[in-house]
Amino acid sequence: MNMQANGVMAPPRPKTLQDMLLALPMMRDILIKTMFRTNLTEAGALARVICLPINVTQELIDMARSQLLLEATGTMSASSGTEMGYQLTDAGRARAGEALKQSEYYGAMPVPLPVYHEQIKRQSIRNIQVTRDQLMGAMGHLILPPTLISNLGPAVSSGRSILMYGPPGNGKSSISNGIRDAMGDKIYVPRAVEYSGQIISVYDPIVHSAAEADEQDPNSLRRTSGMFDTRYVRCERPTVITGGELSLSMLDLVYNPVARTYQAPLQMKSTGGIFIVDDLGRQAEPPQSLVNRWIVPLEENKDILALQSGEKFEVPFDTLVIFSTNFHPNAIFDKAALRRIFYKIKIDGPTQSDFLKIFSLVARKKKMPLDETTLLHLLNKLYPTIDNVYANYQPVFLIDQIISICEFEGIPNQMTPELMDRAWANMFVADEDIVR
């Protein structure tokens, strides 16, 4: 499947109830639960809420009417364009009540898991090709060695797992975000997926950024929502970022015992995008355990989830996983685990030359005048005390500290050796200050 410049092939709209590939009783129950909860009475309004074409919605309404669960409240007038109204019968309200006891889910019809799988193939992260220019454009605000882009590019384009390691404060998180920004296309995220009669909510507005319709492009085949299956939401490729809070339980389905529905785990929400495990080694779970959980997904492009009943099933795993750690990989992984992570990229601190470039850019952005005497003091007096180890976070830290001191003292922004000494003192804790 070829990627298009501005998107991927959209999910086709269902044309009939049979195209839905869902059990008819489930669809009927979602319709009447939606009517019960929303008090909607017209087919057009119901079609928008259950995210089906009007003709398919009408089929569903006609089926419910034939079962005496709905009744018409009026007639259609061709001249006025008013729609026929419908309401639940006594039997319909009773059935809606029984259905709500089984599951509180109503609204958008779910997408069957096999149909969802087909859409993932159309928009796979492994189909995307990121060029050097795209990566440079997304990371243009970072001062990076040329070899780093050369190593990152093939890793991103492969859609395989990446381990970034190196000393803290050198932009591993910023690089991860730059990788995300380089993927400028859009994908389609299902509002909910169905498996074995169970509903799994996938679309999450906290994780997924809905994209505006391409109405500005008259040649676009996707310029209106009516051109694709609206059970999906057209979104930016998602990015899920976790840190020290990540636990193995967060990678399992979350069951809501009140609604009797499931919430997709983090890695499923990141499908088609990026899953960033930041600060690996800071979690309560050992890094080896976390990576072991990913072995099957990383190698076989599928994940295994479990329902409350204990039944296990496969879901596609189509995510670029980026591990980021301040520890040396050999200290937290065994060789088998490292072998399963396809790309290992070391992110070192900047050279003195790059440090000065970063320092100058930050000073200009924050309107802090540079002072040669102060810079020489920083490089020749202060950095030798830490063996001339530079980090990308340090220019921002030092300049922000000086600005705060100047504001407190009521003086214009300025850079002096004395002010730099005061800023430097806040960047480290001396060994003798540590309480033992």
Side-chain angles (χ1 to χ4, degrees), residues 107-123:
M109 287 290 168
V111 177
L113 187 60
V115 176
Y116 171 54
H117 198 167
E118 290 304 309
Q119 182 58 30
I120 289 174
K121 291 178 183 177
R122 298 185 187 105
Q123 60 195 31

Side-chain angles (χ1 to χ4, degrees), residues 157-174:
S157 291
S158 75
R160 310 302 286 269
S161 52
I162 300 172
L163 171 65
M164 292 192 294
Y165 66 98
N170 285 308
K172 291 187 290 295
S173 298
S174 297

